[in-house]
Amino acid sequence: MAAVKKKKEPLYEVRTSPIHGRGLYAKTFIEKDTWIVEYVGEKVDKVESERRSNELLEKAKNDGSARVYMFILDDKWDIDGNLETNEARLVNHSCEPNVEAQIWQDKEIWFVAVRDIQPGEELFYNYGFELDTWEDHPCSCGTKRCVGYIVDEQYW
């Protein structure tokens, strides 16, 4: 008889977030360095990534509905995480993150706890946007360290 691989129960649940629509929340205690959720989607080259991102941004200008879920994998590839099944896309930004994105074997992106996370705590990471469009990305995380915009900490 072949072994049956049991689906591991997620360490998080999707709930309404005061930061931005929906977010991921710890269902249980999550120890520092725990791999929590993989950011999944279609692997696309930089040209296609930029085309899709610009298309969504143009749509957002007209109806405010679009979200861009492009995640940089490396110098050549991005992951388009605009899939309902990609719950990792719901991890919101904070200037005081409790998770970080890590690339595994140059092909997977995982959110990993940077400190112990208590049950019920929302999962956050620093989106780390470049400085060239900082005015387009106001931050509403409300933490003591909040700089008011979603930019990489090196620009603070």
Side-chain angles (χ1 to χ4, degrees):
M1 181 193 299
V4 176
K5 186 175 181 180
K6 287 180 72 177
K7 184 175 178 179
K8 188 177 176 183
E9 185 69 26
L11 299 172
Y12 61 87
E13 62 186 353
V14 177
R15 295 192 341 218
T16 301
S17 169
I19 300 294
H20 196 264
R22 296 182 296 165
L24 298 187
Y25 289 79
K27 285 173 58 173
T28 184
F29 174 80
I30 300 173
E31 189 174 350
K32 179 182 178 185
D33 297 323
T34 299
W35 293 48
I36 301 169
V37 60
E38 182 182 2
Y39 193 94
V40 296
E42 182 183 357
K43 185 177 176 181
V44 295
D45 65 31
K46 296 294 183 183
V47 172
E48 179 62 12
S49 175
E50 188 166 335
R51 185 195 71 73
R52 290 181 186 187
S53 296
N54 288 335
E55 184 178 282
L56 287 170
L57 290 172
E58 280 303 312
K59 183 177 188 234
K61 286 179 186 177
N62 294 326
D63 63 15
S65 65
R67 303 272 192 274
V68 177
Y69 296 111
M70 248 0 123
F71 210 112
I72 296 170
L73 182 59
D74 59 30
D75 290 341
K76 295 180 182 179
W77 302 99
D78 292 344
I79 301 292
D80 183 352
N82 193 17
L83 304 169
E84 269 306 304
T85 56
N86 179 28
E87 292 180 327
R89 79 189 193 289
L90 302 175
V91 175
N92 287 311
H93 165 83
S94 175
C95 296
E96 288 186 32
N98 53 15
V99 302
E100 68 181 5
Q102 293 186 10
I103 310 293
W104 186 69
Q105 294 188 342
D106 297 325
K107 64 181 181 178
E108 294 178 3
I109 301 168
W110 281 84
F111 286 112
V112 179
V114 296
R115 63 168 174 77
D116 291 347
I117 301 170
Q118 299 303 314
E121 197 175 335
E122 186 170 359
L123 305 181
F124 294 113
Y125 83 105
N126 184 335
Y127 288 4
F129 290 161
E130 294 295 319
L131 197 56
D132 58 346
T133 60
W134 67 274
E135 292 173 309
D136 296 336
H137 305 288
C139 179
S140 57
C141 75
T143 65
K144 290 178 183 177
R145 294 188 67 211
C146 184
V147 294
Y149 292 90
I150 302 174
V151 294
D152 193 80
E153 194 167 349
Q154 68 179 318
Y155 305 119
W156 293 6

